[in-house]
Amino acid sequence: MRTRRTVRTLVTVVATVLLTGGVAACGNSDTGGSADDGKITLGFSQVGAESGWRTANTTSIKEAATRAGIELKFDDAQQKQENQIKAIRNFIQQKVDVIAFSPVVESGWDTVLKEAKDAGIPVILTDRSVDSADKSLYKTFLGSDFVKEGRLAGEWLVEQTRGASGPVHIVELQGTTGSAPANDRKEGFAQAIATNPNLKIVASQSGDFKRADGKQVMEQFLKANPKIDVLFAHNDDMGLGALEAITAAGKVPGRDITIITIDAVKDGMQALAEGRFNFIAECSPLLGPQLMDLAKKVHAGEEVPARIETEETTFTQEQAKEALPNRRY
């Protein structure tokens, strides 16, 4: 009788488990944060909140995750590589389904990316790339062609100064030292202006993509260089900071000093429409929908292109006036 009662008890337990779906839950208990409900979990490490562009990028990613039904674990690295590495390791420990991040700098990622690969977690790079020789450490890159952006800025300046008979003195506000956009925008701009020997960069320094730093560095440029004809800023925010320094020095931005920037966020576009900027090469922050689509594909094991570039344009004053009413960021 005792044996029969034990058998009946086991049959009841098994039947209860099968009816409640307990077997499936137990079988998937170690496969990641989204195993129980089928929802994809995406761990995303953002550079920080250093600019209007970055804020718009973060908003795009969060809103797109909600619309796509993806659980987002978001981390703000506060522009420190060590914070991003820690965040990625936390994502690995939490067994997320996909990891995406916008690298603070290009170098120093191989070790942590290999850890993600060994854990079977696909990685997507967004906005900024890494310089790893092992391309198998990440599935794809989603973002802009920063070299092209710098080149477009330089080509516009070459065209505008085609009739110049003497030197054109340029100062450059670089982005975060060692970052992909700073390195590439500098390279593209230098390539373009090399076609005109009159175009000379007389000072170049990092403003860390921040408005306050752009103002501070521009103040230094103005004190050290009695003649500045052109400012090339690697993003709108540094250019907007530089406007304050230029105005305080008694010069008229956009007239006494030609100002070229990259990004095309609303504040920058407003400055362009008002004639305080002269030209902007666009860099769209609205990567969220594309990122969520890629996360679903790589999680499903689908093949994706190694590099996916966003479609972007350039703006003059009149084009900025036309685009501003419908600008989303």
Side-chain angles (χ1 to χ4, degrees), residues 248-262:
K251 296 180 182 294
V252 179
R255 191 180 70 192
D256 295 334
I257 297 178
T258 297
I259 300 176
I260 304 166
T261 69
I262 295 174

Side-chain angles (χ1 to χ4, degrees), residues 161-172:
T161 56
R162 194 168 295 281
S165 57
V168 177
H169 299 91
I170 306 165
V171 294
E172 179 181 30

Side-chain angles (χ1 to χ4, degrees), residues 11-25:
V11 169
T12 301
V13 170
V14 170
T16 302
V17 168
L18 288 173
L19 286 171
T20 60
V23 169

Side-chain angles (χ1 to χ4, degrees), residues 13-275:
V13 170
V14 170
T16 302
V17 168
L18 288 173
L19 286 171
T20 60
V23 169
C26 291
N28 289 334
S29 63
D30 63 346
T31 58
S34 61
D36 293 341
D37 58 8
K39 179 181 282 189
I40 295 173
T41 301
L42 171 66
F44 183 80
S45 178
Q46 181 61 283
V47 172
E50 77 284 358
S51 64
W53 190 100
R54 191 64 56 190
T55 301
N57 180 241
T58 292
T59 300
S60 175
I61 289 166
K62 288 181 175 179
E63 290 179 348
T66 300
R67 288 194 299 269
I70 289 176
E71 181 182 348
L72 180 67
K73 294 184 180 294
F74 183 88
D75 174 82
D76 182 340
Q78 299 178 335
Q79 290 187 280
K80 296 180 179 179
Q81 184 179 32
E82 59 266 32
N83 289 348
Q84 282 198 308
I85 291 173
K86 181 180 178 181
I88 293 169
R89 287 186 170 137
N90 284 338
F91 293 151
I92 295 170
Q93 188 175 20
Q94 294 172 47
K95 299 180 181 179
V96 301
D97 297 305
V98 181
I99 292 172
F101 74 111
S102 181
V104 175
V105 294
E106 287 188 289
S107 302
W109 300 104
D110 284 25
T111 299
V112 73
L113 288 178
K114 188 175 187 305
E115 291 170 16
K117 182 180 179 181
D118 291 344
I121 303 174
V123 174
I124 300 170
L125 304 178
T126 72
D127 174 42
R128 300 181 179 185
S129 61
V130 299
D131 63 4
S132 174
D134 185 357
K135 305 302 181 186
S136 73
L137 295 178
Y138 57 92
K139 291 295 183 181
T140 185
F141 163 81
L142 168 65
S144 303
D145 184 337
F146 298 132
V147 174
K148 180 181 178 181
E149 291 168 356
R151 189 171 64 247
L152 288 170
E155 288 172 350
W156 179 85
L157 181 60
V158 168
E159 186 61 32
Q160 296 301 305
T161 56
R162 194 168 295 281
S165 57
V168 177
H169 299 91
I170 306 165
V171 294
E172 179 181 30
L173 280 169
Q174 298 181 41
T176 302
T177 302
S179 68
N183 293 342
D184 292 353
R185 287 169 182 170
K186 181 177 181 64
E187 177 187 343
F189 186 77
Q191 288 174 357
I193 67 171
T195 62
N196 184 345
N198 284 327
L199 299 179
K200 301 182 183 299
I201 297 177
V202 296
S204 183
Q205 186 175 324
S206 173
D208 207 24
F209 286 126
K210 297 176 182 177
R211 191 174 300 199
D213 290 20
K215 177 183 177 182
Q216 183 179 14
V217 176
M218 190 67 200
E219 287 172 345
Q220 297 170 11
F221 285 164
L222 287 162
K223 289 177 182 177
N225 300 276
K227 181 168 174 54
I228 296 175
D229 300 304
V230 178
L231 164 64
F232 170 47
H234 286 192
N235 78 338
D236 289 340
D237 276 76
M238 291 189 296
L240 290 165
L243 286 179
E244 298 179 43
I246 293 168
T247 303
K251 296 180 182 294
V252 179
R255 191 180 70 192
D256 295 334
I257 297 178
T258 297
I259 300 176
I260 304 166
T261 69
I262 295 174
D263 273 356
V265 297
K266 270 189 177 179
D267 286 353
M269 292 285 279
Q270 187 64 48
L272 179 57
E274 294 169 355

